[in-house]
Amino acid sequence: RWMGVEVNRTGVMLVEETVLDVVARVHAVTFEAVDDRGAALAGAHVRVSVMESGVVAGAETDGSGRFTAMLPEDPVEVVCRFMGVDVYYATLTPGQSGSHTLECGVHYLTLTVKGADGLPVQGAAVEAVSVTGPVHAGGVTSGNGTVEMRLPAGRYTVRVRFTTTQQMTPVSEDHTRDVDLEGSSDVDVALKGYPVSFTATHMARGLGLNLLLVLVLLVAVWLVGRNLLQGKRPQKGDPDRDTEEGDPEDGPGDATS
C-alpha cells in the first residue's frame, strides 16, 4: 500500500528462501504551475489528495514552478494556491510517471500613471488590495510610468498616490478605483493636477511676490514711524528748547521794564 492505496497484490508460493521483486504501481509525477503567460509560479503551494484514501502530499514549487510527488495510479485531487488564494483545481489520474502543467488563474495587472499632459509619471506609489482576500501588492512607477503586478484573479482596489513640488507649487494626488482582474489587464490613471499648469504656476509666483512686497512695505512703514517718533523728542542743546525754557542765568529782576 502507498498513501493508503493498494498498489500491488501478488500470490507467492514459498518452497525455499528466495528474494521477491515487488513492482508497485507508484509513479513520480511532476506538477508545473504557470500563470496565464506560461511563466513559472515559484513559491506556489501544490496539494495533492488521493481521492480513495484522503492522504495528502504537498509542498511549495521550486524556482521553476515545479513540485514532484510519488503517487499511486488512483485518481487524485490537485489544488494550487498562490498568495493565499486557490488559483487551480482539478481531478486527474496520473497513470504513469510524467508531468502535468497547472494553468493557474494568475494574471498581470499593468498600471500606467500619466500626467494631465499625457506623459508618463515616474515615482507614483501604487498598491492593489484584494476586496475579498488577503492579497496585497504594490510598487513605484518607473521611467515609463508603469507598474506591473502578478495577482490571482479577483476584484481589487487600486490606489495611486503622487506627491511633489513643481515650480513653487505643491502637488498631492490620490486616486482610487476598483478593478476586476479576470485576465491580464492594462489600466491607465491620469493625474489632473500634474504637471502644474502655466496659470497656477504664475499665480503661485505672483502670490509669493505679493507677500514679499507686503512684508517690505510693513518694514518701511515701521522704520518711518520710528524715525518720526524720534524726531519729535526734544534733544539736549536744541535751540528751540532753549528759547522756550529761557536762559537759566536770567533772574526775575533782570527783566527789562
Side-chain angles (χ1 to χ4, degrees):
R1 298 179 70 86
W2 179 259
M3 296 185 71
V5 177
E6 185 177 282
V7 294
N8 184 284
R9 181 184 290 270
T10 304
V12 178
M13 180 179 291
L14 294 177
V15 295
E16 60 182 13
E17 184 176 338
T18 185
V19 177
L20 296 177
D21 292 330
V22 178
V23 179
R25 296 187 299 275
V26 177
H27 308 284
V29 181
T30 299
F31 299 95
E32 182 180 3
V34 298
D35 58 29
D36 68 351
R37 294 181 182 175
L41 284 180
H45 189 274
V46 178
R47 185 180 72 249
V48 183
S49 303
V50 179
M51 299 181 69
E52 179 182 333
S53 64
V55 177
V56 177
E60 287 191 355
T61 57
D62 59 18
S64 300
R66 294 185 174 91
F67 159 66
T68 300
M70 300 297 295
L71 300 174
E73 294 180 350
D74 288 54
V76 296
E77 179 184 72
V78 182
V79 177
C80 182
R81 291 176 65 85
F82 182 70
M83 299 180 72
V85 178
D86 288 349
V87 294
Y88 180 90
Y89 172 84
T91 58
L92 54 89
T93 303
Q96 59 183 2
S97 297
S99 62
H100 294 269
T101 300
L102 311 182
E103 297 180 354
C104 302
V106 177
H107 314 291
Y108 292 83
L109 175 61
T110 304
L111 193 137
T112 303
V113 180
K114 297 180 180 180
D117 55 0
L119 297 178
V121 176
Q122 183 178 7
V126 179
E127 62 177 351
V129 180
S130 174
V131 174
T132 58
V135 181
H136 179 277
V140 178
T141 55
S142 59
N144 59 2
T146 63
V147 168
E148 186 175 75
M149 296 171 282
R150 188 165 67 166
L151 302 166
R155 186 173 180 83
Y156 293 87
T157 297
V158 178
R159 185 178 184 185
V160 178
R161 289 175 292 177
F162 181 69
T163 303
T164 188
T165 300
Q166 184 185 34
Q167 300 181 9
M168 298 176 60
T169 304
V171 177
S172 181
E173 298 269 345
D174 194 335
H175 298 268
T176 302
R177 62 183 298 179
D178 290 336
V179 176
D180 290 317
L181 189 65
E182 298 300 334
S184 292
S185 304
D186 296 329
V187 176
D188 292 341
V189 175
L191 305 181
K192 298 179 180 179
Y194 180 83
V196 178
S197 65
F198 178 83
T199 302
T201 302
H202 281 72
M203 286 180 63
R205 288 181 176 177
L207 180 61
L209 291 176
N210 289 337
L211 290 176
L212 181 61
L213 290 175
V214 169
L215 180 61
V216 171
L217 182 60
L218 289 175
V219 172
V221 170
W222 178 76
L223 290 174
V224 171
R226 187 184 68 170
N227 291 336
L228 289 175
L229 290 175
Q230 289 180 348
K232 289 183 178 181
R233 294 178 182 175
Q235 303 293 327
K236 186 174 181 180
D238 190 341
D240 294 338
R241 179 173 178 237
D242 291 346
T243 302
E244 292 177 359
E245 295 182 358
D247 189 351
E249 296 181 357
D250 293 340
D254 294 336
T256 303
S257 58

